[in-house]
Amino acid sequence: MIWSLSFAPLVPLWLLAAAAVVAVLLVAGALVLRLPAWPLRALAMALLLLALAGPALEREDREALSSVVSVIVDESQSQRLADRASVTAQALAALEQRFAGLSGYELRIVRAGRGDGATADGTALFSALADSISDVPPDRIGGAVMITDGQVHDIPARTSDLGFNAPLHALITGRADEVDRRLAIARAPRFALVGSQQIVTLQLQDHGHSASSRVPIVVRRDGEVVSQQMAQPGASIDIPVTIAHGGNNIFEFSAEALDGELTDINNRVVVTIEGIRENLRVLLVSGSPHAGERTWRNLLKSDASVDLVHFTILRPPDKQDGTPINQLSLIAFPTRELFSVKIDEFDLIIFDRYEQRGVLPLLYFDNIARYVRDGGAVLVAGGPDYAEAGSLYRTPLAPVLPAEPSGMIYEEPFHAGISDIGSRHPVTRALPGSSSEPPAWSRWFRLVDASVRNGETLMTGVDDKPLLVLSREGEGRVAVLLSDHVWLWARGYEGGGPHVDLLRRLAHWLMKEPDLEEEALRLTARGTEVVAERQTIGEAIGSLTLTLPGGETRNLAPTEVSPGLWRATAPAPDLGLYSVDDGTRKALVHVGPPNPREFTDVLSTTGPLAPIAAATGGSVRRLAGADGGVIVPRVVPMRRATSFAGDGWIGFRTTEASLLRGIDRYPLFHGLLGLALLLGGLSFLWYREGR
C-alpha cells in the first residue's frame, strides 16, 4: 500500500488564492502594528484556508505484476538430428522447474521453427518470439530463452528490432565436434526438350571434416538409377542428365555418407525438370471423300502444339479419265518418303476413311506396323471403307489393329454411349453431356460392326456394339473409331457434342500425354500437404505407401473422387523428397526449395546468436557437458544490471510494474474533526486576546 496527500478545494482556485493573499496581508498588518497574539491569528486563518483546500490522505491498493519470460523451443528438422530432441526436452523441463521456484515470473513456452511445410525456408524463431510477447508492455518483459541448435535464419540486424530491453539467452543443443556432408545444387534448368541432354551442376561440401578422396554420387531419374559420377569434396561437378519424357522428370542425386556424420538427409538433392515436347508431328491421310473430311484437319490445325502434314487422295492410280499427265496439277503421294524414310519422325498417323486402292503398296503397311510396335501411334477413323474389301484390316497392318470388321454396317440412329471402362478412362471420363441418359449430345447414324480382339472399348453404339477401341501394341498405341459421323457433333446437329474434347484427348493419349495415362500414380505438393492420385481403369485399388524425407513410412487409404480416379492426402511437415508406392508404380515430389536453408548447415553453433545475445546482456552457451550430460544454468532474478549472465547462471529482469486495484481517501477536515479544529483555533484565539 502507498500513502499520499491530495487536495480537493471546496471553492474555485482563484477564490482560494485571493483568500490566501488577504490572509497574508492581514497577518503582515498585525505583525507591523504589533497586535497581540498575531501568531494565533495567522494560525486561525491558515486552518480556514486549509479547510477550504480540502486536504485528504489517500491509500493506493496495488498488486505487483509478474515479469514475462518467453522460452522459444526450436522444433525445426535439424533439431531432430542425433540426440537434440531429448536434450531440448530435458532443458525445457529444467527451466520450468527453476522458474516454478521463483515468484514474480510468468513463463510463456512457444514451440517454433517448423514453419509452414512447403512454404517454410529456414528456422524462424525471432518471429515466434515477437508474437509471444506482442500483448506485453516492454517494461514487463523479463527476457527470453531460446533452446536451439543455433542455426536460426531470422536474426534481426539490431537489438532495437526486438521490441524490448531485456536479456536474450540461447541454450545450444548439439556438440562442438560434429561433422556432416552436404550436397547442394549450384545450377539446374527448369525446362528442357524431351530427348535432350542437360547439365546439372552440384557442389559437395564436408563440414567439420577434411577429406581428399573422391566421393561417388548416384543419379536416379524417377526413382531408377541411371548413372554414377565421382566428385571431389569442396569442388563443383557437372552431371549430364537426359530428359526422358514430357512432364516432370525428377532427378535425385545422392552422395555417399561420411563416417560419423550428423545426418545423411542433406547428402541428397532433387532437381525437377519439366520435359517439353517439340511440336508433335501428325500425318493425316484422308481417303474416301465424305461430309466430315475436314473435321480432323480443323481440329489438328487449331492445336498450337501440333505440326500437321495432311494428304488427301483425290486421284487413285486406277482412275482413268483421259486427262494428260502434264495437265494435272495434283501432287504425287510421296509414299516412300513418308512411310519409309521419315515415318519415325511422326508422333501419330491418322487414316481418315482410308481405303486400300493401290496408292500405298502393301510393303509399307509392314513398315507402319513396325513403327507402331517401336513406339508410334496409329488412329483409324473408319466408315464403310473399314468394312469393305479395301479395308485396312485386309493389309499387313491388321496384326496391330484391335477391332476386326465383320463386313456389316448399321445405318440407323443411335446415341454414342460411354462403356463401364470408358467412364474410368481419362480419354472419355466426364465428357461434357455424358452424365445424362441418354447422353446430351446428337445422334449418329452409321456404325461399322466389328469384334474386339484386344484393347478396351471406351464407347459403344447400336446394341452396345464397339464404337471406340483403344489398345497398346509393343511400345506403341492404336485406336479405331468405327464411325465416320463425328462430324455431326462438329456441325452442331441436334445441338452437337463434345467432339473437340473427345478427339483432342484421343489424339494426345495416342501421343502418350502423361496426364491421359489410364494407369498412373501421381504425387503433388499442395501447401502443407502432399496429394497422391491413382488413375486406373480397374474397379478398385489397394493402399498406398508414402515415404517421408526422413525415411518414415505411412499407409494411405485413397478414396474414389470420380470413376477411375482415387485420391489421398497427407500432411507434409518436412522439407525434402516424398515418394508414394502402390507396389508396382512409384511417384515422387520434392517439397520446399531445392536448397533448403534448414539443411544448408546442420552443425550446431553458438556463432549466429552470440552478437545479439551479448548486446542485450544475455549469453549463448551449450547444454552438453563434458561427461555427456545436460547442463542447464541456474535462473537468477535481477532488477537492474548491464550483464545478466555469469558462470553457471543466467539472469532475468524483474519488473516494477504494478496494477492499481483501488484508492481509499480520508479527508482531513471532514465532518466533526474539521469543525473541531476550526472552532478550537478560534476559541484559543479569543481566549488569548481576552487575557
Side-chain angles (χ1 to χ4, degrees), residues 25 123 139 191 216 378 395 422 447 462 495 636 670:
L25 293 176
T123 301
D139 60 342
F191 308 93
V378 167
T395 69
L447 176 68
V462 179
V636 178
H670 183 67

Side-chain angles (χ1 to χ4, degrees), residues 222-257:
D222 300 329
E224 301 294 331
V225 176
V226 293
S227 66
Q228 179 173 304
Q229 306 285 336
M230 301 298 292
Q232 181 69 37
S236 298
I237 178 174
D238 293 336
I239 299 180
V241 295
T242 301
I243 310 304
H245 55 79
N248 287 338
N249 292 254
I250 300 179
F251 294 94
E252 179 186 354
F253 306 88
S254 55
E256 183 181 72

